[in-house]
Amino acid sequence: MATNEKVDVVVVGAGASGSVYAAVLAKQGKKVVVLEQGPDWQLSDLTSSDIWGRRVKPAGGPFILEGKHPVSYGYQAGWGVGGAALHYFANFPRLLPNDFKIKSEHDRAHDWPISYQDVSPYYDKVASDVGVSGDAKAEEIWRPAGEPYPMPPMKTFRNGQVWIKGFEAVGIRMVPAAVGMNSTEYKGRPACIYDGWCHVGCPIGALANPLVTYLGDARKSGAEVRPWSTVTRVLTNPEGTRVTGVEYYVKKGEPQVQPASVVVLAAWAAQNPRILFNSATDKHPKGLANSSGLVGKYMMTHFASGTLAIFDEDVENHMGTTGAQYMSYDRYGKTSHKEGFGSSFIVAGFALKTNDLGGIANARLDLFGADLHDFMKRAKRGLTRIGTFGEELPTIENRIELVSDKDEFGMPLAKIIHSYDKDAQAVWNANFEEGLRIAKTTGAKDVWSARGNMPTIHLMGGTIMGTEAGNSVVNSYGQTHEIPNLYVAGPGNFPTSGASNPTYTIFALSLRGAEQLAATWSTIAG
Amino acid sequence: MNSIERRDFLKATATGVLAFTTVGAQALLSARQAYAQNVPFRLLKASDAETIEALGETLVPGARAAGMAHFLDQQLSVPPEEALLEARILNVRPPYVRFYRNAIAAVDNASRALNSGRNFAQLGPSEQHNFVDAMRQNKVQGWQGPGGSFVYLVLRSDAVDVVYGTMEGYEALGIPYMPHIAPDKRW
């Protein structure tokens, strides 16, 4: 097995969280290697097409999807440099103070080991680093004040504007959506041109994907990114007290070792537990950082209730972004719906494509043949939608486990078992009902709910943070409780999910963790 | 994929067309052109292609002429990480051809059992419509194979791709395509 020269930090995964660690530590002068299992995508690879856009998503993946509501892995996950943040929608809502203390306030789920005030400065730093457009002042009706966003809100289009009357009718306040996109030129990156291809990757850099933000910064500061490098194990010293590096494969070649003083696992909520399990030793028989048995537990997703409407007017549904134009936290209280417990987060106004998973043709999945073609002709200019995300509470039965089948590197596959509980299903239904009430007051010609199988959007949990090893895998910085020079980053660290899109919080928590690691380097790296 | 095929594929990625083998040579064609030129299939049997085309045409009018069978044939013959199929994001486990073969077998087996030995492609238009409507709702009697509603979703997505998801499809519907980086051969 070939052994590479030792580095200060090896980061596993070149997505949102890994790129932050790489940037912060490389800027500190640390020797950083980032191992990414997929290709080294360039902006020029991001063809404007839903068909070609599928290349930046995994093909199969090492996961078997089980449960009543299997995780939508293929659509959510990333594959290659940039990770899922290469094709994310760049909605940048933040968690709210009530997300951090559900246990204290409602005796449900877990408290976070930190408060909103601990994360808030990092939301502001990330906004400055990557560029966020929005109206921070307007958001203060729901959250404590912070720094203004560096750019004004994005443009709105009729596909968003037509919903405002309906929201007003039911007493929901909408404000400009916070998005990781450029409403104006920012740090040498151009302003958005509103052609709606965000979800297949923005090749002009108007959207804050890792290539043009933290990963670009990391590379400029000397970090080395190695694509096609699949990590199979984190290695430890004989005593099991410290990690010493990782084992990985370049394509299907021989295994290699990358020694490092610190290992940061940033391979997403599903893969991080799989690697920890596969790194078991006699000192860590259940896998690394898993004496509590909580690695792979408390997997969570968001669900969404979509409401669609067709208007007689041209709502310019080909214009805008895949992110939202408007957002609201007016149903974010945990008891907003009497039918079920959990927050809801509302968004409105999106560009639509014909054949995206959430596009025009799939707005009426029951239609086919001539009926579908008639619908396409009616919907092409008049169709628009709103969506309400819902919070899933963590349950220990939603989990990741290794199975006996193995991948091409001899690493066991894993299964992700996921089912929603009654609260989630009740909130999902309540949000559909409210969506219809909103839609019916807009003057739309035809309105309906986008019901189908209950969707699983975003993936969180599996390495949750907490106060000690008995109740969690990592501390609030992402440092594992059991091995001080092993960090885990990303949405897997969320102990509860909230209802807002997670990537802004992923960036913020990663920045907080990376800065702590840099500040205490000599203690941690040894 | 051999090196020549790989080079063609990468070129196709850049230009937006697909590599097909015509008589004795590689050619870069759109799926519609491959259908029109009756390009031989790489992987699909003629009967498979017939069923796919009939299903496609039932799901989305125009899918046959848009080259749905050629599109699938080409996509199923490249490594899964290079495939552009909706199956990729609907969590179908590679190799994707296994799913399609099972799906086609399920459709034709059920069709023969219910329609005096006739495959799906041999049914009349209204019979095909009714069969697909039942498949959509998991109500085909004696169905054996991947879930009927899931087969409906995947095949419908493929048909939507080739008819509505191309630059040509947008143009036919009257929707501005507005690409940053255009698939410049209208695919």
Side-chain angles (χ1 to χ4, degrees):
Chain A
M1 190 181 296
T3 299
N4 294 277
E5 183 183 344
K6 186 178 179 182
V7 297
D8 293 318
V9 189
V10 61
V11 179
V12 182
S17 55
S19 63
V20 174
Y21 273 86
V24 169
L25 295 166
K27 284 179 184 174
Q28 291 280 320
K30 304 296 183 235
K31 188 167 176 54
V32 177
V33 165
V34 182
L35 300 176
E36 166 56 49
Q37 68 171 347
D40 190 10
W41 298 117
Q42 309 297 316
L43 292 182
S44 56
D45 292 319
L46 303 176
T47 301
S48 302
S49 158
D50 275 292
I51 297 171
W52 295 97
R54 293 169 194 148
R55 290 183 304 162
V56 297
K57 299 186 178 186
F63 298 102
I64 296 161
L65 309 171
E66 295 187 356
K68 292 178 184 170
H69 305 98
V71 168
S72 176
Y73 175 81
Y75 192 68
Q76 305 292 324
W79 183 61
V81 167
L86 193 61
H87 58 71
Y88 74 146
F89 296 3
N91 283 315
F92 267 40
R94 54 187 77 195
L95 295 174
L96 292 191
N98 65 345
D99 287 317
F100 293 82
K101 43 191 177 182
I102 299 181
K103 181 72 174 174
S104 301
E105 294 185 347
H106 300 281
D107 198 23
R108 302 289 298 264
H110 319 288
D111 279 352
W112 290 51
I114 47 177
S115 69
Y116 176 84
Q117 284 70 27
D118 294 308
V119 185
S120 178
Y122 293 93
Y123 282 132
D124 292 336
K125 284 187 180 183
V126 170
S128 173
D129 285 349
V130 308
V132 173
S133 298
D135 185 345
K137 192 73 183 170
E139 294 176 25
E140 290 175 14
I141 55 178
W142 298 298
R143 66 167 173 87
E147 295 294 320
Y149 293 125
M151 287 175 281
M154 304 285 282
K155 284 182 188 173
T156 61
F157 296 88
R158 288 299 292 162
N159 57 74
Q161 295 160 4
V162 292
W163 291 97
I164 297 303
K165 178 182 170 187
F167 284 114
E168 288 173 352
V170 299
I172 291 176
R173 298 164 292 180
M174 302 298 285
V175 305
V179 293
M181 303 177 190
N182 291 356
S183 60
T184 60
E185 185 179 330
Y186 190 73
K187 292 190 173 179
R189 292 161 37 212
C192 176
I193 57 174
Y194 301 99
D195 62 11
W197 289 109
C198 326
H199 61 298
V200 293
C202 172
I204 66 171
L207 184 147
N209 72 45
L211 274 55
V212 296
T213 57
Y214 289 112
L215 197 66
D217 294 345
R219 280 175 150 151
K220 284 176 196 162
S221 300
E224 180 190 356
V225 180
R226 296 181 194 157
W228 300 110
S229 299
T230 302
V231 171
T232 49
R233 286 194 302 150
V234 178
L235 306 172
T236 58
N237 62 7
E239 298 77 25
T241 54
R242 297 186 63 77
V243 296
T244 58
V246 299
E247 173 193 85
Y248 73 105
Y249 289 75
V250 178
K251 293 203 171 173
K252 293 177 184 174
E254 291 299 307
Q256 300 187 33
V257 170
Q258 178 56 63
S261 300
V262 173
V263 173
V264 179
L265 283 185
W268 209 43
Q271 184 75 343
N272 288 340
R274 182 171 173 244
I275 294 172
L276 290 171
F277 285 139
N278 197 48
S279 303
T281 66
D282 58 339
K283 298 294 189 297
H284 299 276
K286 294 190 293 184
L288 298 187
N290 195 28
S291 64
S292 63
L294 292 179
V295 168
K297 301 295 198 303
Y298 298 117
M299 303 306 300
M300 297 165 281
T301 72
H302 290 138
F303 47 89
S305 309
T307 303
L308 292 131
I310 289 185
F311 289 79
D312 279 330
E313 68 168 297
D314 180 355
V315 297
E316 308 169 291
N317 60 18
H318 61 292
M319 292 294 293
T321 69
T322 315
Q325 296 169 32
Y326 300 96
M327 68 178 192
S328 177
Y329 288 97
D330 266 344
R331 297 292 181 268
Y332 209 82
K334 302 298 176 188
T335 56
S336 291
H337 290 302
K338 65 180 186 306
E339 296 89 345
F341 184 90
S343 294
S344 297
F345 174 70
I346 305 166
V347 287
F350 323 91
L352 297 176
K353 299 298 178 187
T354 58
N355 58 329
D356 178 25
L357 201 57
I360 298 174
N362 284 356
R364 284 290 305 272
L365 266 172
D366 57 320
L367 299 181
F368 62 94
D371 294 337
L372 173 60
H373 191 63
D374 289 345
F375 172 76
M376 295 297 287
K377 287 192 288 187
R378 284 192 294 123
K380 67 180 183 183
R381 290 298 174 92
L383 178 69
T384 177
R385 67 180 163 91
I386 57 174
T388 306
F389 291 102
E391 173 178 21
E392 177 182 25
L393 295 182
T395 59
I396 202 161
E397 293 79 14
N398 287 336
R399 65 194 186 276
I400 291 179
E401 295 175 349
L402 296 186
V403 300
S404 56
D405 289 350
K406 295 183 177 176
D407 66 14
E408 65 265 44
F409 308 111
M411 183 177 181
L413 305 180
K415 60 181 175 183
I416 309 174
I417 303 158
H418 178 263
S419 303
Y420 285 119
D421 66 11
K422 288 181 180 174
D423 274 308
Q425 294 179 58
V427 172
W428 187 53
N429 285 323
N431 285 330
F432 274 127
E433 289 164 15
E434 182 154 63
L436 278 183
R437 286 197 295 276
I438 294 164
K440 285 175 180 173
T441 60
T442 58
K445 186 176 178 180
D446 193 11
V447 302
W448 68 97
S449 298
R451 281 183 182 271
N453 295 329
M454 198 168 172
T456 54
I457 304 167
H458 310 134
L459 186 64
M460 297 154 283
T463 54
I464 67 168
M465 67 166 72
T467 52
E468 41 99 10
N471 62 23
S472 55
V473 178
V474 300
N475 66 21
S476 69
Y477 297 106
Q479 183 183 29
T480 60
H481 292 298
E482 294 172 32
I483 304 178
N485 63 336
L486 173 61
Y487 277 64
V488 182
N493 295 1
F494 291 16
T496 60
S497 72
S500 51
N501 308 61
T503 308
Y504 193 17
T505 302
I506 294 168
F507 278 132
L509 291 176
S510 300
L511 189 57
R512 183 173 179 271
E515 290 190 353
Q516 180 263 0
L517 173 56
T520 56
W521 178 261
S522 58
T523 307
I524 292 166
Chain B
M1 196 167 14
N2 65 35
S3 59
I4 294 173
E5 285 177 315
R6 179 166 184 81
R7 191 170 65 241
D8 286 341
F9 184 86
L10 294 174
K11 186 178 176 187
T13 300
T15 59
V17 294
L18 302 168
F20 290 94
T21 305
T22 59
V23 245
Q26 287 278 323
L28 296 173
L29 304 170
S30 71
R32 182 180 294 279
Q33 290 167 328
Y35 170 78
Q37 296 179 26
N38 201 22
V39 171
F41 293 108
R42 289 179 172 190
L43 190 147
L44 293 178
K45 293 186 294 187
S47 58
D48 294 338
E50 198 175 41
T51 302
I52 286 170
E53 288 180 351
L55 278 167
E57 194 65 21
T58 306
L59 288 161
V60 181
R64 178 182 282 117
M68 178 165 161
H70 282 86
F71 173 70
L72 287 180
D73 181 63
Q74 202 276 347
Q75 294 295 315
L76 295 175
S77 64
V78 299
E81 63 269 21
E82 294 176 357
L84 306 174
L85 298 168
E86 182 91 335
R88 181 168 179 157
I89 57 176
L90 292 175
N91 302 313
V92 174
R93 287 202 71 76
Y96 300 126
V97 68
R98 181 172 54 199
F99 170 83
Y100 282 91
R101 285 191 170 133
N102 289 340
I104 291 164
V107 168
D108 276 334
N109 288 341
S111 177
R112 284 194 300 272
L114 295 169
N115 298 289
S116 309
R118 290 179 295 158
N119 281 338
F120 180 81
Q122 297 166 322
L123 304 181
S126 65
E127 292 173 306
Q128 289 175 331
H129 183 281
N130 292 340
F131 185 98
V132 167
D133 199 34
M135 181 175 79
R136 174 181 72 81
Q137 301 172 75
N138 291 321
K139 289 182 177 175
V140 175
Q141 290 179 354
W143 178 273
Q144 290 189 324
S149 61
F150 190 64
V151 171
Y152 169 85
L153 174 62
V154 175
L155 270 295
R156 180 182 183 274
S157 298
D158 296 329
V160 165
D161 274 351
V162 296
V163 175
Y164 300 125
T166 63
M167 291 186 75
E168 199 172 48
Y170 273 68
E171 188 177 338
L173 281 171
I175 300 174
Y177 195 88
M178 301 190 307
H180 284 298
I181 296 178
D184 65 3
K185 295 293 183 184
R186 293 174 168 256
W187 181 250

